Amino acid sequence: MVAMSKIATGNGHGENSPYFDGWKAYETNPFHPTERPEGVIQMGLAENQLCFNLIKNWLIKHPEASLCTPQGVNKFKETALFQDYHGMPEFRQAVAKFMGKVRGDRVKFDPDRIVMSGGATGAHEMVAFCLADPGEAFLVPTPYYPGFDRDLKWRTGVELVPVNCESCNNFKITRNALEAAYVKVQEANLRVKGLLITNPSNPLGTVLDRDTLKSMVRFINDKNIHLIGDEIYASTVFMEPEFVSISEIIEEEDVECNRDLIHIVYSLSKDMGFPGFRVGIVYSYNDSVVSCARKMSSFGLVSSQTQHLIASMLSDDEFVDNFIIESKELLFNRHKYFTWSLSQVGIGCLKGNAGLFIWMDLRKLLKEETFAAEMELWRVITNEVKLNVSPGSSFHCQEPGWFRVCFANMDDYTMKVALLRIRTFMLKNNEAMVPLKLCRPSSLKLSLSRSLSRRMDDFMSPGIMSPHSPLPQSPLVRART
């Protein structure tokens, strides 16, 4: 056999983790309402499908934005020809403006600091290459996105060191926890090069408050290490408290900060539901990082066709303003429906106000307080309940029994089937704490079989509303209108 490199033969990608194993279970037997009604429902994919109609309506009104239409074909030649790695000026300007709007126009972004990459995955790796050498380390508060082990470590040789956060204070990041992790790295004779934070958090669905952000800025300033702010869920905050960007914190008068240490990773995969477009952004306040990252971006550019479409869409101020408000409202409605439904069968969740997922607490279902028991429960949920949810251990959570469940990557019907399966499972395990009153469900776009319709009737309660039913406005949306 021909020898291959250590990267090629190693397990740095992390594909064998439970996080990806759940995806394999789904891919082997994906749910379909008529062809595979007993298949696995994908609840492990943080994807925003709720806003697709908003995008679709804009595309119908603006066919010239696509090069593959009679209205847009005149732009085909100039767009299809070679584009350098700086990116189209109109694309960088539109993205910079959108980033400002998502943050309530409380901060402005310089288009000349916008660096493209192939999604947030490429952006994170690019930043890691710029800031650290193999064997050096980044601190990462737990629980954190499993893909970071691939994105930042696999090809760069960088180490990630968990900062342990606990459920007793809602997984808040404290200065004591940061200091403890920093000391641990030093004792291992590693050099700490930075702190990576995710705000809003994946998987918690929460935002970092202003005081916590200031504390982290003081920490990295004191240690003279970098701060990478992953803000790819910035526009998914659907309820107060509002999102506060690290870019706002460093503007405040009472915050002393070396801006050369501050870097932001952004993308349009979550906020606009465009993961397939692979639009990733590195925004650094360090001139040398901007210069180096721009050269590295040659390995993962955004296609010029995508840049053209995105620039056209994000330059439409009226559309962007409405999109931000309506997308938040859709997420608010779905989150309210989903969490209420779980509460009716005795399932609690960490209180969240952002993201495309909930952090579900199933600790009381564990046979014992171990990660082995968590994996046993996860296998039952995956193989018997037929739901792909992600176990907390795959997010480096230090406490067994937590699971991330995505709620925005499916239509109403699929969501209701998933909730019915959860209810059936909980009743079987005698965990239905709250009695349900019966009522008829809202009408569904898909026609249901008579037996499934009856089971759906049993699941619903007059206190719960369909995502299409009138709901009180999100307090955050209400404050902006």
Side-chain angles (χ1 to χ4, degrees), residues 211-479:
D211 288 341
T212 299
L213 288 167
K214 288 183 179 181
S215 174
M216 287 190 287
V217 169
R218 285 192 291 269
F219 173 77
I220 63 105
N221 229 30
D222 292 345
K223 307 297 185 186
N224 195 33
I225 61 176
H226 295 276
L227 176 59
I228 306 169
D230 179 318
E231 299 186 349
I232 68 172
Y233 291 95
S235 192
T236 69
V237 181
F238 49 81
M239 197 162 52
E240 294 178 343
E242 286 191 319
F243 168 69
V244 180
S245 170
I246 197 67
S247 58
E248 298 175 54
I249 296 299
I250 63 174
E251 296 281 353
E252 298 193 2
E253 293 181 0
D254 62 337
V255 174
E256 294 184 11
C257 178
N258 177 1
R259 295 194 179 198
D260 281 348
L261 301 175
I262 305 298
H263 322 277
I264 295 173
V265 169
Y266 188 58
S267 85
L268 300 181
S269 297
K270 311 302 181 182
D271 283 356
M272 297 203 73
F274 289 163
F277 281 9
R278 310 307 301 150
V279 179
I281 299 296
V282 171
Y283 188 93
S284 176
Y285 291 86
N286 186 314
D287 292 342
S288 296
V289 171
V290 171
S291 177
C292 179
R294 184 155 284 140
K295 295 169 188 174
M296 287 188 173
S297 70
S298 297
F299 296 99
L301 295 174
V302 179
S303 75
S304 55
Q305 177 175 326
T306 300
Q307 290 186 58
H308 174 73
L309 174 62
I310 296 298
S312 301
M313 183 178 295
L314 297 187
S315 297
D316 185 337
D317 289 339
E318 183 179 0
F319 165 75
V320 169
D321 292 341
N322 289 333
F323 176 88
I324 291 173
I325 292 173
E326 292 181 36
S327 179
K328 290 175 184 290
E329 189 73 5
L330 290 167
L331 289 171
F332 172 74
N333 290 352
R334 175 62 69 88
H335 181 271
K336 181 184 177 85
Y337 182 97
F338 201 90
T339 54
W340 193 96
S341 300
L342 293 181
S343 73
Q344 297 305 287
V345 291
I347 295 178
C349 308
L350 183 72
K351 186 176 181 180
N353 68 322
L356 311 174
F357 31 73
I358 60 168
W359 192 233
M360 182 170 67
D361 183 1
L362 296 184
R363 287 176 292 180
K364 63 186 176 183
L365 292 185
L366 299 182
K367 293 181 179 179
E368 56 185 15
E369 293 183 15
T370 65
F371 288 110
E374 177 183 279
M375 292 308 300
E376 181 181 353
L377 176 59
W378 172 76
R379 282 189 285 270
V380 170
I381 295 172
T382 303
N383 299 325
E384 298 179 20
V385 188
K386 299 294 181 67
L387 300 176
N388 173 30
V389 301
S390 306
S393 54
S394 67
F395 293 82
H396 298 269
C397 184
Q398 302 300 302
E399 302 173 22
W402 295 88
F403 292 77
R404 191 193 73 168
V405 183
C406 300
F407 61 78
N409 65 323
M410 63 192 77
D411 59 25
D412 294 346
Y413 176 80
T414 304
M415 178 190 64
K416 291 178 179 180
V417 173
L419 290 170
L420 176 61
R421 291 182 183 182
I422 292 172
R423 170 174 164 75
T424 301
F425 171 70
M426 294 298 287
L427 288 175
K428 182 179 178 181
N429 285 273
N430 297 317
E431 292 296 333
M433 303 292 187
V434 182
L436 291 178
K437 297 180 182 179
L438 308 183
C439 76
R440 294 194 61 79
S442 61
S443 61
L444 301 173
K445 293 180 181 178
L446 295 171
S447 97
L448 311 182
S449 70
R450 188 169 298 176
S451 62
L452 183 56
S453 291
R454 281 198 298 269
R455 283 186 285 158
M456 288 293 187
D457 286 349
D458 293 339
F459 179 74
M460 293 294 149
S461 162
I464 192 167
M465 293 181 254
S466 156
H468 297 298
S469 301
L471 271 172
Q473 273 196 328
S474 156
L476 184 57
V477 173
R478 199 164 54 232

Side-chain angles (χ1 to χ4, degrees), residues 88-103 109-111 114-116 266-268 272 279-283 302 306-307 310-311 314-315:
M88 296 178 177
E90 59 269 29
F91 169 79
R92 288 186 285 112
Q93 291 165 5
V95 170
K97 188 174 183 180
F98 181 73
M99 289 175 66
K101 280 183 174 290
V102 164
R103 291 153 181 80
F109 292 90
D110 182 355
I114 297 287
V115 180
M116 296 183 297
Y266 188 58
S267 85
L268 300 181
M272 297 203 73
V279 179
I281 299 296
V282 171
Y283 188 93
V302 179
T306 300
Q307 290 186 58
I310 296 298
L314 297 187
S315 297

Side-chain angles (χ1 to χ4, degrees), residues 72-91:
V73 73
N74 289 336
K75 289 277 188 178
F76 180 84
K77 181 179 179 180
E78 64 183 87
T79 306
L81 293 176
F82 174 76
Q83 305 286 339
D84 72 17
Y85 49 69
H86 288 78
M88 296 178 177
E90 59 269 29
F91 169 79

